[in-house]
Amino acid sequence: MLLSVIVPVYRVEDYLPGCVASILANDTAACEIILVDDGSDDGCGKLCDDYAAARPDLIRVIHQENGGLGAARNTGIAAAKGDWLLFVDSDDKLTSDALAVLKQAAREGDAEIYAFGFRADNGSDPPTPQPNLWQGRGPFRLADAPDYLLELPSAWMRLWRRSLFVENGITYPSRVWYEDIRTTTKLLALASGIRVLPEHLYDYLSRPGSIMNSAKLSRNREILDAMDDILSWYRAEGLYDQYEAELCALTVQHVLLAASVRVARADPASPLLAEFAAYTQEHFPRWRENRYLPRLPGLKRLALKLVEGRHYRLLRLLFRLKG
């Protein structure tokens, strides 16, 4: 088996048919589809069973108690028969040529990770292709292009050689937010080669009920646990000094900036905001000198200035004006 498509499923009854249909519209030869029903309490379990009954040659279903996105992916990895893994979130879709392009890349096998572009679906028609500054680059090792560590960590925008997980004992954490950044940052450092394909192969849906749009404000604190995990792993692997500048930039982008913006938009008086600032200052006291910060787009640089000055109400106003 060449490629395993792993789809974690939880409370997406309205979206799962479109997701599965987009996969089936591809060339599925030498592929399998694994639907992991993560204890979904809507109609998803039956939908999954129906798909497997209709295509037993192609689709397998695993039902499990709810363990979160990370646990569902781990179940899929353990069950996969393919040499390569593609994760598809159950409210998203593949483009019609995705599997053909990825299978060709896998057969060439000059890398262990193949990244690709995606289109953002915010209700627009068609979805909007997102800029891909690394388009067509590689293969390269992270050591030769360390700034690739700062790219989006999303699991679904990459094809992974399964042995990267299995031989290195890498799994996704269960029942947490930020499972992608905890895992992708390790796999990138371990990979013998990374290639970024030029095609846009994935349609990402941003919807109000998704995890990262959730109103559970306190869970944004889990970014600190995620960064602790990453920094500890890089130290244990003897890689911290080599990637210190990138790890600092990751902390600024994901803790001081992104998490602060999410929290400030909901509650500019939240004590979490001071906690994010203190964490960044404690681990990287010279973060303001980081060489990657001038690369931030203008809006993010402005937001970072507001965060640094603790102008959280202005920060909220800025993003309300930006929509």
Side-chain angles (χ1 to χ4, degrees):
M1 184 72 64
L2 182 63
L3 196 157
S4 297
V5 182
I6 298 171
V7 185
V9 177
Y10 184 69
R11 292 183 178 175
V12 285
E13 188 174 3
D14 292 339
Y15 300 93
L16 184 60
C19 174
V20 174
S22 77
I23 301 172
L24 294 177
N26 274 259
D27 173 9
T28 57
C31 295
E32 65 173 351
I33 302 170
I34 302 174
L35 304 177
V36 183
D37 170 25
D38 189 41
S40 194
D41 54 5
D42 57 4
C44 283
K46 184 180 184 304
L47 277 175
C48 290
D49 289 337
D50 290 344
Y51 289 130
R55 291 294 308 271
D57 58 317
L58 178 63
I59 300 175
R60 284 191 283 151
V61 178
I62 301 172
H63 299 282
Q64 66 180 31
E65 292 185 5
N66 178 254
L69 179 58
R73 285 181 181 159
N74 293 337
T75 296
I77 294 169
K81 299 176 181 177
D83 296 323
W84 294 86
L85 306 175
L86 178 67
F87 300 106
V88 180
D89 286 357
S90 49
D91 52 356
D92 297 336
K93 298 177 181 179
L94 295 181
T95 62
S96 59
D97 60 341
L99 294 184
V101 171
L102 293 174
K103 285 189 291 184
Q104 180 58 37
R107 291 186 176 107
E108 292 175 1
D110 60 354
E112 290 188 299
I113 299 172
Y114 290 95
F116 46 86
F118 70 96
R119 305 183 303 189
D121 184 353
N122 295 306
S124 58
D125 186 22
T128 306
Q130 299 301 291
N132 184 355
L133 299 178
W134 292 82
Q135 187 173 14
R137 289 184 57 178
F140 56 84
R141 294 181 65 102
L142 186 65
D144 300 320
D147 48 335
Y148 188 70
L149 193 61
L150 307 182
E151 290 297 295
L152 285 175
S154 303
W156 45 258
M157 60 184 291
R158 296 171 175 89
L159 179 70
W160 310 87
R161 188 181 285 277
R162 183 172 179 269
S163 59
L164 258 184
F165 291 88
V166 176
E167 294 178 2
N168 294 291
I170 300 293
T171 59
Y172 286 93
S174 301
R175 299 187 181 280
V176 298
W177 280 10
Y178 306 105
E179 66 283 316
D180 282 359
I181 193 171
R182 289 175 183 244
T183 309
T184 297
T185 49
K186 300 168 187 175
L187 295 169
L188 292 178
L190 292 167
S192 62
I194 303 164
R195 181 181 286 281
V196 183
L197 303 175
E199 294 88 353
H200 289 74
L201 303 178
Y202 195 97
D203 289 343
Y204 169 75
L205 176 64
S206 177
R207 61 187 177 93
S210 64
I211 291 175
M212 294 314 294
N213 284 332
S214 171
K216 296 177 180 177
L217 196 66
S218 63
R219 296 207 65 181
N220 283 280
R221 193 191 182 282
E222 293 181 36
I223 188 58
L224 305 184
D225 300 327
M227 289 309 307
D228 280 344
D229 180 10
I230 295 165
L231 298 180
S232 296
W233 186 87
Y234 271 77
R235 287 191 178 96
E237 295 295 318
L239 297 172
Y240 183 90
D241 290 344
Q242 181 179 354
Y243 294 103
E244 183 176 7
E246 291 74 29
L247 294 170
C248 172
L250 270 180
T251 304
V252 171
Q253 289 184 23
H254 290 274
V255 177
L256 190 60
L257 184 53
S260 293
V261 168
R262 280 194 298 273
V263 170
R265 291 178 71 175
D267 179 9
S270 170
L272 284 174
L273 295 163
E275 197 170 352
F276 296 152
Y279 182 94
T280 305
Q281 187 66 31
E282 176 187 354
H283 288 274
F284 298 100
R286 300 177 64 182
W287 65 265
R288 294 169 182 81
E289 302 171 16
N290 186 272
R291 65 176 178 265
Y292 293 110
L293 297 189
R295 297 188 186 184
L296 291 173
L299 179 61
K300 289 187 177 181
R301 290 201 304 272
L302 174 57
L304 188 58
K305 286 289 186 184
L306 293 175
V307 169
E308 185 180 4
R310 302 188 180 187
H311 302 301
Y312 299 124
R313 295 186 186 280
L314 284 176
L315 185 66
R316 180 174 63 174
L317 177 61
L318 172 66
F319 279 90
R320 282 183 174 176
L321 293 174
K322 288 290 182 181

